[in-house]
mmCIF file with all atom_site columns, all heavy atoms in Angstrom:
data_model
loop_
_atom_site.group_PDB
_atom_site.id
_atom_site.type_symbol
_atom_site.label_atom_id
_atom_site.label_alt_id
_atom_site.label_comp_id
_atom_site.label_asym_id
_atom_site.label_entity_id
_atom_site.label_seq_id
_atom_site.pdbx_PDB_ins_code
_atom_site.Cartn_x
_atom_site.Cartn_y
_atom_site.Cartn_z
_atom_site.occupancy
_atom_site.B_iso_or_equiv
_atom_site.pdbx_formal_charge
_atom_site.auth_seq_id
_atom_site.auth_comp_id
_atom_site.auth_asym_id
_atom_site.auth_atom_id
_atom_site.pdbx_PDB_model_num
ATOM 1  N N   . LYS A 1 202 ? -4.548  77.238 20.312 1.00 0.00 ? 319 LYS A N   1
ATOM 2  C CA  . LYS A 1 202 ? -3.265  77.561 21.021 1.00 0.00 ? 319 LYS A CA  1
ATOM 3  C C   . LYS A 1 202 ? -3.226  78.784 21.595 1.00 0.00 ? 319 LYS A C   1
ATOM 4  O O   . LYS A 1 202 ? -2.791  78.969 22.763 1.00 0.00 ? 319 LYS A O   1
ATOM 5  C CB  . LYS A 1 202 ? -2.005  77.364 19.922 1.00 0.00 ? 319 LYS A CB  1
ATOM 6  C CG  . LYS A 1 202 ? -0.733  77.527 20.683 1.00 0.00 ? 319 LYS A CG  1
ATOM 7  C CD  . LYS A 1 202 ? 0.385   77.443 19.582 1.00 0.00 ? 319 LYS A CD  1
ATOM 8  C CE  . LYS A 1 202 ? 1.692   77.548 20.245 1.00 0.00 ? 319 LYS A CE  1
ATOM 9  N NZ  . LYS A 1 202 ? 2.770   77.373 19.232 1.00 0.00 ? 319 LYS A NZ  1
ATOM 10 N N   . ARG A 1 203 ? -3.839  79.888 20.928 1.00 0.00 ? 320 ARG A N   1
ATOM 11 C CA  . ARG A 1 203 ? -3.840  81.215 21.600 1.00 0.00 ? 320 ARG A CA  1
ATOM 12 C C   . ARG A 1 203 ? -4.831  81.183 22.726 1.00 0.00 ? 320 ARG A C   1
ATOM 13 O O   . ARG A 1 203 ? -4.576  81.878 23.804 1.00 0.00 ? 320 ARG A O   1
ATOM 14 C CB  . ARG A 1 203 ? -4.336  82.316 20.527 1.00 0.00 ? 320 ARG A CB  1
ATOM 15 C CG  . ARG A 1 203 ? -3.346  82.554 19.446 1.00 0.00 ? 320 ARG A CG  1
ATOM 16 C CD  . ARG A 1 203 ? -3.762  83.761 18.683 1.00 0.00 ? 320 ARG A CD  1
ATOM 17 N NE  . ARG A 1 203 ? -5.086  83.819 18.218 1.00 0.00 ? 320 ARG A NE  1
ATOM 18 C CZ  . ARG A 1 203 ? -5.578  83.315 17.013 1.00 0.00 ? 320 ARG A CZ  1
ATOM 19 N NH1 . ARG A 1 203 ? -4.656  82.809 16.126 1.00 0.00 ? 320 ARG A NH1 1
ATOM 20 N NH2 . ARG A 1 203 ? -6.794  83.320 16.707 1.00 0.00 ? 320 ARG A NH2 1
ATOM 21 N N   . LEU A 1 204 ? -5.964  80.409 22.617 1.00 0.00 ? 321 LEU A N   1
ATOM 22 C CA  . LEU A 1 204 ? -6.946  80.318 23.647 1.00 0.00 ? 321 LEU A CA  1
ATOM 23 C C   . LEU A 1 204 ? -6.266  79.782 24.939 1.00 0.00 ? 321 LEU A C   1
ATOM 24 O O   . LEU A 1 204 ? -6.496  80.221 26.085 1.00 0.00 ? 321 LEU A O   1
ATOM 25 C CB  . LEU A 1 204 ? -8.096  79.506 23.151 1.00 0.00 ? 321 LEU A CB  1
ATOM 26 C CG  . LEU A 1 204 ? -9.173  79.205 24.225 1.00 0.00 ? 321 LEU A CG  1
ATOM 27 C CD1 . LEU A 1 204 ? -9.901  80.488 24.576 1.00 0.00 ? 321 LEU A CD1 1
ATOM 28 C CD2 . LEU A 1 204 ? -10.255 78.260 23.730 1.00 0.00 ? 321 LEU A CD2 1
ATOM 29 N N   . GLY A 1 205 ? -5.526  78.613 24.725 1.00 0.00 ? 322 GLY A N   1
ATOM 30 C CA  . GLY A 1 205 ? -4.939  77.980 25.978 1.00 0.00 ? 322 GLY A CA  1
ATOM 31 C C   . GLY A 1 205 ? -3.814  78.897 26.603 1.00 0.00 ? 322 GLY A C   1
ATOM 32 O O   . GLY A 1 205 ? -3.838  78.907 27.789 1.00 0.00 ? 322 GLY A O   1
ATOM 33 N N   . LYS A 1 206 ? -3.122  79.569 25.719 1.00 0.00 ? 323 LYS A N   1
ATOM 34 C CA  . LYS A 1 206 ? -2.210  80.479 26.344 1.00 0.00 ? 323 LYS A CA  1
ATOM 35 C C   . LYS A 1 206 ? -2.846  81.532 27.157 1.00 0.00 ? 323 LYS A C   1
ATOM 36 O O   . LYS A 1 206 ? -2.313  81.955 28.218 1.00 0.00 ? 323 LYS A O   1
ATOM 37 C CB  . LYS A 1 206 ? -1.298  81.118 25.157 1.00 0.00 ? 323 LYS A CB  1
ATOM 38 C CG  . LYS A 1 206 ? -0.238  82.019 25.714 1.00 0.00 ? 323 LYS A CG  1
ATOM 39 C CD  . LYS A 1 206 ? 0.526   82.643 24.474 1.00 0.00 ? 323 LYS A CD  1
ATOM 40 C CE  . LYS A 1 206 ? 1.615   83.667 24.914 1.00 0.00 ? 323 LYS A CE  1
ATOM 41 N NZ  . LYS A 1 206 ? 2.389   84.144 23.816 1.00 0.00 ? 323 LYS A NZ  1
ATOM 42 N N   . GLY A 1 207 ? -3.900  82.019 26.677 1.00 0.00 ? 324 GLY A N   1
ATOM 43 C CA  . GLY A 1 207 ? -4.590  83.123 27.322 1.00 0.00 ? 324 GLY A CA  1
ATOM 44 C C   . GLY A 1 207 ? -5.229  82.642 28.584 1.00 0.00 ? 324 GLY A C   1
ATOM 45 O O   . GLY A 1 207 ? -5.183  83.370 29.655 1.00 0.00 ? 324 GLY A O   1
ATOM 46 N N   . VAL A 1 208 ? -5.744  81.435 28.689 1.00 0.00 ? 325 VAL A N   1
ATOM 47 C CA  . VAL A 1 208 ? -6.183  80.904 29.903 1.00 0.00 ? 325 VAL A CA  1
ATOM 48 C C   . VAL A 1 208 ? -5.178  80.700 30.898 1.00 0.00 ? 325 VAL A C   1
ATOM 49 O O   . VAL A 1 208 ? -5.357  80.953 32.086 1.00 0.00 ? 325 VAL A O   1
ATOM 50 C CB  . VAL A 1 208 ? -6.907  79.493 29.578 1.00 0.00 ? 325 VAL A CB  1
ATOM 51 C CG1 . VAL A 1 208 ? -7.193  78.735 30.911 1.00 0.00 ? 325 VAL A CG1 1
ATOM 52 C CG2 . VAL A 1 208 ? -8.280  79.657 28.747 1.00 0.00 ? 325 VAL A CG2 1
ATOM 53 N N   . ALA A 1 209 ? -3.951  80.237 30.527 1.00 0.00 ? 326 ALA A N   1
ATOM 54 C CA  . ALA A 1 209 ? -2.813  80.066 31.380 1.00 0.00 ? 326 ALA A CA  1
ATOM 55 C C   . ALA A 1 209 ? -2.486  81.450 31.956 1.00 0.00 ? 326 ALA A C   1
ATOM 56 O O   . ALA A 1 209 ? -2.045  81.528 33.213 1.00 0.00 ? 326 ALA A O   1
ATOM 57 C CB  . ALA A 1 209 ? -1.667  79.422 30.656 1.00 0.00 ? 326 ALA A CB  1
#
Side-chain angles (χ1 to χ4, degrees):
K319 183 178 180 180
R320 294 194 307 269
L321 177 64
K323 182 179 178 181
V325 170

